[in-house]
Amino acid sequence: MKAACSAPGRARALDYVAAVTVKAGGRALPLGGVALPNRRLVLRWLRRQALRLADGHGRYLPAAAPWLGTRDVRPVAFHSSDAPEALRAWADDHGSQDHAMSALASGHPALLTVVDPFVGLRVTLGAWPVDLCGWVAAAAPANHPYPTRTETEEV
C-alpha cells in the first residue's frame, strides 16, 4: 500500500506506531511493535496485545520465537494478577478506548502502564502519531516533489 504526502497548505498525513515495552531492574526491553496507517488499527493492535498478555497469566509460557510472524508481542510472566487484570480492564473499557482515540486524533500519545508490584515489573503499551510527510517536507527542497512512501509490515 502506498500513501502520498499532501501538498503544502493541506492537512498532513499522519501515520501511527505502537509498541509494548517491559521495564524490570532498571532495564527497558521492547516486546514488539508495529507501524500502521490509522489510529483505529493501532488501538485494535494494542487492545489485542493487552488481552494476549493478560490471558497468558498463569499459563506455561513457551520460549519466545526468534521472529514473530504474527506481529504479536513476546509473552510476559506476571507474578501477581494485578497487571493482567489492569490490562484486561483497559482493553474491555470503551471509555478508555475512546480517550486513547481522542489523544491520538489530537496528536498526543496514548499510553498505558501496568505494574506487577510483586517484582516491580512495568509493562507499557503506547501509540504515537508520526508525521512522516511533515518530516519529508522539512527535509526536502522547496522545488522537490513529495515522494511516495511505502509502508512496511513490521517495525
Side-chain angles (χ1 to χ4, degrees):
M1 174 189 305
K2 293 183 178 181
C5 297
S6 60
R10 293 187 183 169
R12 295 181 194 164
L14 288 175
D15 289 309
Y16 298 86
V17 294
V20 179
T21 57
V22 63
K23 185 174 183 179
R27 290 185 61 196
L29 301 169
L31 297 177
V34 292
L36 294 167
N38 66 57
R39 61 185 180 269
R40 288 191 190 282
L41 291 176
V42 164
L43 286 177
R44 183 181 301 165
W45 184 84
L46 280 178
R47 182 178 180 276
R48 187 176 72 235
Q49 301 315 309
L51 290 172
R52 183 173 178 274
L53 290 169
D55 290 344
H57 175 63
R59 298 183 182 163
Y60 170 73
L61 298 174
W67 55 273
L68 299 170
T70 60
R71 298 189 316 180
D72 283 335
V73 299
R74 291 173 179 85
V76 172
F78 294 106
H79 293 46
S80 71
S81 61
D82 294 348
E85 290 305 316
L87 289 168
R88 194 172 286 111
W90 177 82
D92 292 338
D93 182 27
H94 294 292
S96 295
Q97 301 301 310
D98 290 343
H99 179 71
M101 185 74 69
S102 297
L104 291 173
S106 64
H108 295 93
L111 298 171
L112 170 70
T113 300
V114 296
V115 178
D116 185 343
F118 185 72
V119 291
L121 184 77
R122 299 173 64 86
V123 176
T124 301
L125 290 80
W128 301 266
V130 179
D131 187 356
L132 294 176
C133 293
W135 176 77
V136 170
N143 61 354
H144 191 274
Y146 289 93
T148 57
R149 185 181 52 76
T150 306
E151 294 186 23
T152 59
E153 288 277 326
E154 296 186 43
V155 173

